[in-house]
Amino acid sequence: MITFCFIGVCVLLFGPLVSRACNVTLYAQGEPLNFTSPNYPGNYISNDNCYWDIYPQTRGNNVVLDMVFSDIEDSPGSTCQYDALTIYVKNNGDQRKAESKSICGQSRLHFITREDQHFHAVFKTDGTVTRGGFLIRYYETDGHSCGVSDLSASSAAWTNLTSPGYPSNYSNNLDCRWTISAPVGYEIKVEVMYSNVQNSTACSSDYLLFSDGSTSFASQLGKYCGRSYITRVVVSSRNYMTITFHTDGSDTAPRFNLKYKAGTFLTTTTERKNELNCGSSLLSASTSTWRYLSSPGYPNYNYNNMDCKWTISAPAEYKIKVVIRVLDVAFVYRCAKDYLLFNDGSSSDATQLGKYCSGDRDVVSSSNAMAITFHTDGSFFGKGFSLRYIARTSGAKELNCGSSLLSASTSTWRYLSSPGYPNYNYNNNTDCKWTISAPVEYKIKVEIIVLSVDSVAGCAKDYLLFNDGSSSDATQLGKYCSGTRDVFSSSNTMTITFHTDRSITGRGFSLKYIVRTSGGLNCGSSLLSASTSTWRYLLSPGYPNYNYDNNMDCKWTISAPAGYKVKVEIIVLSVEYETTCERDYLLFSDGSSSYGTMLGKYCDGTRDVVSSSNAMTVTFHTDNSVTKRGFSLKYMARTSGCGTEEEINGYETKYIESPNYPLDYPDNADCSWTISTDVEGYVIHVKVEFFYLEHDSTCSYDYVQLYDVRGTYEHSLGRWCGSDGPDTQSTGRSMKVRFLSDASSTFTGFKLAFTAGEPTSSSSFSLNFGGVIGGVFGGIVGVALLTCCCCGICSRKKSTTNDQSQRNRSREANVNNVFSIPLPIYPPTTATTLPAMFTPPPAYSEVVKDDPPPYCQAVPLSDIQPIVTSSPNDAYEGIDNPAGPS
């Protein structure tokens, strides 16, 4: 009898501590904790929708998420359209989303917030395949911390490592050091996929340093800074590598992103290197066909410490043209490590034509011989290079600009391209000018189809220049060296200049031009009427066949019958994007004037907009630069903007979602639904599938309110906002749901499940009440509980890892538990050869402090005591939090 009493006390105390893992708020601490997908380490559940809010326990700190394990159903093209875990970074103040990342498949990613931000993670699954789910560890840092310092490389999968704060700027005065280990007999390969580290002479300010061992004092494999979009590869010669990331107190740059893996890279490379050499040093260029040259081992290997030399010869009176197709070597300032060197003659002492370590380009000799040198040092493993060469006569195929006077047609497109396009690259030092004319009272429209030239800041080398008139001194319409766009004249003439310098040449350009009337595209009728029964459509001028014009200001007023509101759904919005939407935009105003209350101003995305009265004004504005496809939207008169009447039987579930769910609901929403059943004696039950609205203490901004409906009488059952949704029932056979949002912040919204059934005597609120009681009396009986546990009264049989992973967990009783546990210390394990199969996930209860090889061993729950971490008095508000304030 005494034993049962103490067991009851244990349940009472631990009930609120071991809380539901889904739809909770968590508080990160210095030591790692974890949260998992429901039912983990078993497969997750179909048609599920869970969220977690993860805040730092200490104000001003950052939160770090490390995805230790993931196995989520993927979709073609990795679009994550089936099942997905979406990580949102949100601002603490206004709850706005700063950025987001959808995750599916098998990934091991690393995220960190900036100051005054938190994570909002949403896990949604469809009704088909389920998989192993995920385990994520979370902890807080002070913004200058670098995360876990001891990492383990897996031979089965790549693991990501990013700069602190990635993808935002890193902090000043960092000294991060990561030591990556692999099993004995393995090397470590690192691929730096992107880096943008403050550039300085000899990388003395900020840098990434790779060392061949377990300390930063080991032999240096490479030291990098500056910006690079080319993947760098660094390989250790042993089973340890140390990466040092140093920043000083000056400027910071955005970030770096790399991945690492264990393998036998050097052994294979060394064996293959002994079989290969530079090949024949004397090559002959053909006068009719291209011939090819590549680095030894291309494209599989690029060997270190090579010095290959080739001499290409051609018949007298010919030149040699070389086109570099691929160049993947160490890219550093002035190509001081690996490079391709071209000399204008048969000797490497001849005049230098170019020394390159990145990019594709053309090199042309001035005589019938060219020397090529390929040099590599000991720091980088890449593909190497591939090029082609041909003999060209001194004056052969000298490309010209063609006629300089062109005439635009009023009915068909005409075309203009760079000299030689698309068969040959354009020449160096070209200046072509064309003047396009149209009849009086007409304008000229140009669409750039292809523009492939040497692109640098300010288009200082090669460019297309457009002038608004018959002279290159007329008003400039645009100067471009990349991208596709439209250009409009303001009169009936336009001048186009194509300029190239003496360096890189490319394919060139292709464009088309046509005559447009002076008025161009018009806006159409400005007065529109919304139907109460069918959607009507509004398109930007020219959509979808033509891009809209520059300098447009179209206004439409949409009206609805009295007592109705106007609802607009943006289907497509393709305009010039700018963060403040100051260039091209759609502006929605509440009423019959564009000076009414602004409902929204947008330059990207799809969304719903609802007026507060029976009129709405839509303004479409464009500036004088880029034009695009425009927009397509539909509109309708609605009594309350959204809502329906639903009738449910005793065996089905009906769902209600906020407008635009799972995207953010619109401002000024006013929705009403009525749910009823015709089964005598049944009532309506409501449960939360997902709930996340703007929070305020009185729920007066955005909220869901439920009403008990009996005939014409409506009685309020309560009002909900924030992340605390309803779990209740009606007293009769009908329930009304009303959703309102104001004109400020919007969030993901809600999804509610409704069923019809017999009334229950108590609701889920009693469970929360028990949690409160447990929390209040936890301190009083804490000493007694510890005494009981120490004496073995509440002891339980120790379970093995396999027992835990195979135990049948019910969704209500066990699926949604979150355990916050201390990290046990284990002796090192002997490295073994990994099987060629997918490695099982870590145990549900395990907090993984170091990356496992590939995953840590499971921890039996009976070896540890679940604990609850405390939160400061000024911690963020949250509910149902196993690691937050009670």
Side-chain angles (χ1 to χ4, degrees):
M1 182 66 180
I2 296 176
T3 301
F4 285 114
C5 291
F6 278 106
I7 290 174
V9 173
C10 290
V11 172
L12 178 65
L13 288 176
F14 280 100
L17 302 186
V18 181
S19 181
R20 296 177 63 87
C22 190
N23 303 342
V24 298
T25 301
L26 308 174
Y27 289 84
Q29 305 180 39
E31 285 297 311
L33 305 171
N34 67 269
F35 69 94
T36 69
S37 52
N39 206 38
Y40 181 89
N43 283 17
Y44 52 78
I45 299 167
S46 298
N47 298 311
D48 208 356
N49 192 325
C50 294
Y51 76 86
W52 298 262
D53 286 299
I54 306 99
Y55 288 86
Q57 179 175 259
T58 307
R59 284 190 180 274
N61 276 10
N62 302 333
V63 180
V64 178
L65 296 187
D66 283 325
M67 177 164 280
V68 178
F69 169 82
S70 74
D71 182 19
I72 302 171
E73 183 188 9
D74 204 347
S75 56
S78 297
T79 57
C80 299
Q81 67 184 34
Y82 300 150
D83 300 343
L85 173 67
T86 304
I87 306 292
Y88 298 94
V89 178
K90 288 194 169 188
N91 300 324
N92 293 334
D94 58 12
Q95 297 294 311
R96 291 284 186 181
K97 294 178 181 132
E99 53 197 332
S100 64
K101 169 74 174 177
S102 291
I103 302 164
C104 54
Q106 296 167 5
S107 305
R108 295 180 68 169
L109 303 176
H110 175 90
F111 304 92
I112 186 169
T113 64
R114 304 186 74 177
E115 188 175 346
D116 292 327
Q117 290 181 332
H118 68 278
F119 287 112
H120 177 64
V122 178
F123 183 49
K124 292 191 65 178
T125 66
D126 63 7
T128 58
V129 178
T130 65
R131 298 192 184 278
F134 62 85
L135 184 148
I136 295 178
R137 63 184 174 195
Y138 63 98
Y139 53 93
E140 69 173 0
T141 74
D142 60 5
H144 297 282
S145 300
C146 306
V148 177
S149 59
D150 294 321
L151 308 172
S152 296
S154 165
S155 63
W158 290 97
T159 302
N160 285 76
L161 175 65
T162 60
S163 51
Y166 183 91
S168 302
N169 285 24
Y170 54 77
S171 303
N172 287 323
N173 302 309
L174 286 173
D175 271 297
C176 301
R177 188 169 289 108
W178 300 276
T179 299
I180 307 174
S181 61
V184 175
Y186 283 76
E187 293 92 31
I188 298 162
K189 182 177 183 179
V190 173
E191 292 189 4
V192 184
M193 296 170 288
Y194 172 74
S195 63
N196 187 3
V197 179
Q198 181 191 3
N199 197 15
S200 60
T201 304
C203 295
S204 58
S205 298
D206 299 354
Y207 58 79
L208 262 175
L209 172 66
F210 297 86
S211 304
D212 193 21
S214 57
T215 70
S216 58
F217 300 104
S219 175
Q220 188 178 124
L221 296 170
K223 185 180 182 182
Y224 305 112
C225 60
R227 175 178 294 185
S228 176
Y229 297 95
I230 300 174
T231 301
R232 304 178 186 275
V233 179
V234 184
V235 181
S236 68
S237 65
R238 61 199 73 188
N239 65 324
Y240 285 96
M241 180 190 291
T242 300
I243 303 175
T244 302
F245 180 49
H246 170 81
T247 70
D248 64 4
S250 59
D251 295 335
T252 66
R255 54 197 179 272
F256 70 78
N257 181 16
L258 59 83
K259 60 182 182 180
Y260 57 90
K261 186 178 182 181
T264 53
F265 309 106
L266 288 180
T267 303
T268 304
T269 302
T270 303
E271 291 173 353
R272 291 294 303 275
K273 180 178 178 182
N274 293 333
E275 301 172 3
L276 298 169
N277 54 56
C278 300
S280 175
S281 61
L282 299 176
L283 306 172
S284 177
S286 168
T287 59
S288 58
T289 59
W290 290 97
R291 292 180 176 173
Y292 295 84
L293 174 66
S294 58
S295 55
Y298 177 89
N300 297 314
Y301 306 101
N302 170 31
Y303 301 115
N304 286 329
N305 304 308
M306 299 199 77
D307 275 293
C308 295
K309 293 182 174 64
W310 300 274
T311 299
I312 305 176
S313 60
E317 303 302 323
Y318 277 79
K319 298 177 180 179
I320 297 165
K321 179 177 181 179
V322 170
V323 176
I324 301 175
R325 303 164 67 212
V326 176
L327 183 52
D328 179 22
V329 297
F331 175 67
V332 297
Y333 181 63
R334 292 186 176 176
C335 299
K337 294 191 174 184
D338 301 352
Y339 57 79
L340 266 176
L341 173 65
F342 297 86
N343 294 92
D344 195 16
S346 58
S347 166
S348 56
D349 297 324
T351 302
Q352 188 178 119
L353 294 169
K355 181 181 180 183
Y356 308 113
C357 52
S358 69
D360 54 350
R361 62 198 76 219
D362 298 356
V363 184
V364 181
S365 67
S366 65
S367 65
N368 67 328
M370 180 190 291
I372 303 176
T373 301
F374 178 53
H375 169 83
T376 66
D377 68 356
S379 65
F380 185 85
F381 287 83
K383 291 180 180 179
F385 74 86
S386 173
L387 59 80
R388 62 180 182 174
Y389 57 94
I390 196 170
R392 300 283 295 274
T393 58
S394 291
K397 294 185 176 65
E398 290 301 327
L399 305 169
N400 58 73
C401 303
S403 174
S404 62
L405 299 176
L406 306 174
S407 177
S409 167
T410 58
S411 58
T412 60
W413 289 99
R414 292 179 177 171
Y415 293 83
L416 175 65
S417 56
S418 54
Y421 181 90
N423 299 316
Y424 303 99
N425 284 19
Y426 54 80
N427 288 335
N428 293 125
N429 303 311
T430 296
D431 274 293
C432 296
K433 289 185 177 64
W434 301 274
T435 299
I436 306 175
S437 60
V440 178
E441 302 299 327
Y442 282 80
K443 297 179 180 179
I444 298 164
K445 177 181 179 180
V446 170
E447 289 188 10
I448 300 175
I449 304 169
V450 175
L451 182 53
S452 174
V453 300
D454 187 10
S455 178
V456 298
C459 297
K461 294 188 174 183
D462 301 349
Y463 57 80
L464 266 177
L465 173 66
F466 296 85
N467 295 92
D468 194 18
S470 57
S471 165
S472 56
D473 297 323
T475 302
Q476 188 178 120
L477 296 170
K479 182 181 181 183
Y480 308 114
C481 53
S482 66
T484 60
R485 64 200 74 222
D486 297 352
V487 184
F488 295 86
S489 69
S490 65
S491 65
N492 67 327
T493 56
M494 180 191 290
T495 299
I496 302 175
T497 302
F498 179 51
H499 169 83
T500 71
D501 69 354
R502 61 182 297 274
S503 59
I504 299 170
T505 66
R507 289 180 65 204
F509 72 86
S510 172
L511 58 81
K512 60 182 181 179
Y513 55 96
I514 196 171
V515 168
R516 297 291 298 277
T517 60
S518 254
L521 302 169
N522 60 72
C523 303
S525 174
S526 62
L527 299 177
L528 306 174
S529 177
S531 168
T532 59
S533 57
T534 59
W535 290 101
R536 292 178 177 173
Y537 294 83
L538 175 63
L539 312 174
S540 56
Y543 182 91
N545 299 316
Y546 302 99
N547 285 18
Y548 54 80
D549 286 343
N550 288 322
N551 303 311
M552 300 196 78
D553 273 294
C554 296
K555 290 183 176 65
W556 301 274
T557 298
I558 306 174
S559 59
Y564 283 79
K565 299 179 179 180
V566 178
K567 179 178 181 180
V568 169
E569 291 186 10
I570 301 175
I571 304 169
V572 174
L573 182 53
S574 173
V575 300
E576 182 181 11
Y577 176 77
E578 192 263 340
T579 53
T580 59
C581 295
E582 291 300 321
R583 296 179 178 176
D584 300 351
Y585 57 80
L586 265 178
L587 171 67
F588 296 88
S589 305
D590 196 16
S592 56
S593 167
S594 58
Y595 298 104
T597 301
M598 187 172 77
L599 298 172
K601 182 180 181 183
Y602 308 114
C603 52
D604 74 329
T606 59
R607 62 201 77 219
D608 298 355
V609 184
V610 182
S611 68
S612 65
S613 65
N614 68 327
M616 179 192 292
T617 299
V618 182
T619 302
F620 179 52
H621 170 82
T622 71
D623 67 358
N624 63 353
S625 58
V626 178
T627 68
K628 292 191 174 184
R629 289 179 64 205
F631 72 84
S632 169
L633 60 82
K634 60 182 181 179
Y635 57 94
M636 189 176 183
R638 299 291 296 272
T639 53
S640 59
C642 47
T644 57
E645 293 188 3
E646 301 284 350
E647 184 170 309
I648 51 180
N649 299 314
Y651 57 85
E652 64 178 340
T653 301
K654 288 288 181 71
Y655 296 92
I656 287 178
E657 300 174 348
S658 53
N660 215 31
Y661 179 87
L663 302 177
D664 286 6
Y665 53 80
D667 292 329
N668 303 303
D670 186 355
C671 308
S672 292
W673 297 267
T674 300
I675 302 93
S676 60
T677 180
D678 59 357
V679 181
E680 187 67 35
Y682 275 19
V683 298
I684 305 299
H685 299 265
V686 58
K687 296 281 187 181
V688 169
E689 296 288 314
F690 180 85
F691 200 90
Y692 198 66
L693 310 181
E694 182 178 9
H695 174 75
D696 70 288
S697 58
T698 60
C699 289
S700 58
Y701 300 153
D702 301 349
Y703 61 85
V704 166
Q705 188 157 0
L706 301 184
Y707 297 88
D708 199 0
V709 180
R710 288 181 175 269
T712 59
Y713 175 74
E714 295 180 356
H715 171 69
S716 176
L717 295 171
R719 180 182 290 188
W720 290 264
C721 63
S723 57
D724 184 13
D727 182 357
T728 187
Q729 62 187 8
S730 65
T731 61
R733 288 187 291 173
S734 293
M735 179 187 290
K736 179 180 177 182
V737 182
R738 191 178 185 198
F739 169 57
L740 283 92
S741 66
D742 63 6
S744 60
S745 302
T746 64
F747 297 85
T748 308
F750 61 84
K751 181 178 181 181
L752 303 177
F754 294 85
T755 56
E758 295 180 351
T760 58
S761 58
S762 60
S763 70
S764 61
F765 293 109
S766 60
L767 296 177
N768 293 335
F769 181 75
V772 174
I773 295 296
V776 171
F777 287 98
I780 299 174
V781 296
V783 175
L785 175 64
L786 291 176
T787 303
C788 293
C789 294
C790 291
C791 294
I793 295 176
C794 291
S795 66
R796 56 182 177 172
K797 182 178 179 180
K798 179 179 288 189
S799 60
T800 65
T801 302
N802 291 332
D803 292 335
Q804 294 171 38
S805 64
Q806 295 172 5
R807 185 174 300 149
N808 182 20
R809 297 176 171 87
S810 71
R811 178 170 175 81
E812 293 299 324
N814 202 18
V815 167
N816 291 316
N817 290 341
V818 169
F819 292 94
S820 302
I821 62 177
L823 182 70
I825 300 175
Y826 296 97
T829 58
T830 304
T832 59
T833 302
L834 298 172
M837 63 181 67
F838 184 70
T839 307
Y844 170 78
S845 59
E846 180 188 6
V847 176
V848 184
K849 187 172 183 180
D850 297 327
D851 278 337
Y855 295 109
C856 291
Q857 300 301 311
V859 183
L861 279 178
S862 55
D863 289 348
I864 52 179
Q865 291 295 326
I867 63 168
V868 171
T869 56
S870 60
S871 179
N873 293 331
D874 62 346
Y876 303 98
E877 290 186 8
I879 61 164
D880 198 15
N881 176 25
S886 58

